[in-house]
Amino acid sequence: MEFAVDARTRELVEQARELGEREYRPAGLEADRRGGPIPVGDPFFDRCLARGEGRTRWPGPTERRVSSGAKRSVVATLLVAEELAYWDRGVINAVPGPGLPETNVLAMGTDAQKERFLGPFVEPDRPRWACFAMTEPGAGSDAAAIRTHARKDGDGYVLNGAKCFIGAASRSDWILVQATLDPTRGRAAQRAFFVERDTPGLGSFHIERKMGLKAYESTSFTLADVRVPATHLLGGEARHEGSAGFKTAMKTFNAGRPIIASNAVGMARAALDAAIDFARRHELLGRDRVRDRIEAMARKVRKARLVCLEAGWLADREQPNIVQASMSKALAAQIAQEATTLGLEIVGTVGGRGDHLIEKLYRDVKAMDIVEGTGQIQRMIIARSLVGLPR
Ligand SMILES: Cc1cc2nc3c(=O)[nH]c(=O)nc-3n(C[C@H](O)[C@H](O)[C@H](O)COP(=O)(O)OP(=O)(O)OC[C@H]3O[C@@H](n4cnc5c(N)ncnc54)[C@H](O)[C@@H]3O)c2cc1C
């Protein structure tokens, strides 16, 4: 394996560093102080659009393709994800765009669905969001257990259920809702439906209180007799042999794991740098016990980063990376939690006051262990893969 970083990737990471320092860190600290997400009309989002953020990777319909430039390698994506999270992980999720469901739509969507749902993100006229709603009050890790029900009715479907902790749900143009046609048939009966904002029956939006990552909203909502046309079934009605819908959702999570892991590495690095800075300013670097903690943090952060890069390196070569992707997330999220704990120990009582960057990172980083499959679930995937059981 070789991770020589080319000039273009170095430039991308440098741009991320400059953007993170100038925009992400201040916006993240402000949202944390306010205790709620960056409001929809905030000028921060206009600046995102002006920089070309918030766009889809879909190049547009063939007759009016918009060039999206050279394709970025997965390793470059991970290094940028690490750098931006160094400055603020919550702000990364606040940035407009088609977000998590974009990958599902690109993989499974019909041409008409790409045009209708990703089209407005090709050259967005205003900040636009979309989101993916899988988790329910009674179904998190066990995604096959979701109860949101889709019933065929004439030329469409009627959806009933409740979702929770869904990123950007109340501000999204559309929500890709994972539902089941028959809860007794597990993953094979799962489908994903586009539900557009203002569809009758979609409502009760409630922005959750969170311990960290306050810059973006995580929202619960309900679906009460929400009617969608059959054309809003992701992939169309013909495209559902076996458990294709469920598998596509799981593939999205697999591709996202090294990115979450790299975010965690960036957050751990931020805690390490803040701890060293504090120790230097308070003349603590002469103490063995402080240097021991710094050494432990630095060693672990390096280990986590290498596993992330291995997962990305394999993905760039289109080689199987399920084990490495899950390992990267299990390891990096755990190490980032340790790093912020060690950092808090170095800053001592200052950390307990609730206004030090390391204290914020300590609260922010726990979510890296939870989203897109908890640490326990990653370890289960790794173990089952290693012994040849189906995941
Ligand atoms: C900040 C944040 C943002 C989120 N954003 C989204 C989003 O945009 N869209 C979305 O759909 N969801 C989102 N989620 C939800 C997230 O995916 C779930 O929280 C996660 O899947 C865990 O589910 P749960 O919280 O119901 O925990 P549970 O599944 O109830 O698990 C509770 C505990 O039991 C452990 N556990 C569960 N099953 C097993 C097992 N078989 N073996 C060993 N241990 C087990 C878990 O690891 C965990 O520690 C978000 C969550 C957070 C915190």
Side-chain angles (χ1 to χ4, degrees), residues 37-57:
I38 304 173
V40 173
D42 197 284
F44 173 83
F45 296 128
D46 298 322
R47 295 199 296 278
C48 291
L49 284 203
R51 284 192 295 270
E53 292 165 8
R55 293 166 184 245
T56 174
R57 284 178 280 141

Side-chain angles (χ1 to χ4, degrees), residues 132-135 139-142 164-167 210 213 216 218 367 370-374 376-377 380:
F132 180 47
M134 171 74 97
T135 305
S141 300
D142 185 6
C164 62
F165 259 91
I166 309 304
K210 282 189 299 205
L213 302 183
Y216 82 100
S218 298
I370 299 174
V371 298
E372 298 185 31
T374 65
Q376 284 90 347
I377 298 302
M380 219 172 71

Side-chain angles (χ1 to χ4, degrees), residues 8 25 40 49 66-67 69 124-125 138 168 183 222 241 247 274 331 335 342:
R8 174 66 190 138
R25 177 67 58 81
V40 173
L49 284 203
V66 173
S67 166
D125 51 338
T222 56
E241 64 293 344
K247 282 186 184 151
L331 194 65
I335 282 176
L342 288 168

Side-chain angles (χ1 to χ4, degrees), residues 108 134 141-146 178 186-192 240 242-253 391:
M108 254 191 107
M134 171 74 97
S141 300
D142 185 6
I146 60 167
Q178 194 82 5
R187 49 184 68 184
Q190 284 198 18
R191 304 286 185 271
H240 281 281
S243 47
F246 186 83
K247 282 186 184 151
T248 303
M250 292 303 117
K251 267 191 202 153
T252 298
F253 288 140
R391 292 173 298 271

Side-chain angles (χ1 to χ4, degrees), residues 114-133:
K114 286 175 191 162
E115 170 100 50
R116 178 172 183 135
F117 296 107
L118 296 180
F121 292 89
V122 173
E123 288 179 288
D125 51 338
R126 60 171 171 79
R128 292 175 179 274
W129 289 266
C131 64
F132 180 47

Side-chain angles (χ1 to χ4, degrees), residues 90-162:
V91 173
I92 294 179
N93 273 40
V95 168
L100 199 56
E102 182 185 36
T103 306
N104 306 36
V105 182
L106 290 174
M108 254 191 107
T110 62
D111 286 347
Q113 288 172 342
K114 286 175 191 162
E115 170 100 50
R116 178 172 183 135
F117 296 107
L118 296 180
F121 292 89
V122 173
E123 288 179 288
D125 51 338
R126 60 171 171 79
R128 292 175 179 274
W129 289 266
C131 64
F132 180 47
M134 171 74 97
T135 305
E136 301 181 357
S141 300
D142 185 6
I146 60 167
R147 286 288 174 272
T148 293
H149 188 243
R151 173 173 52 85
K152 186 89 211 266
D153 186 53
D155 59 354
Y157 291 85
V158 175
L159 274 62
N160 281 285

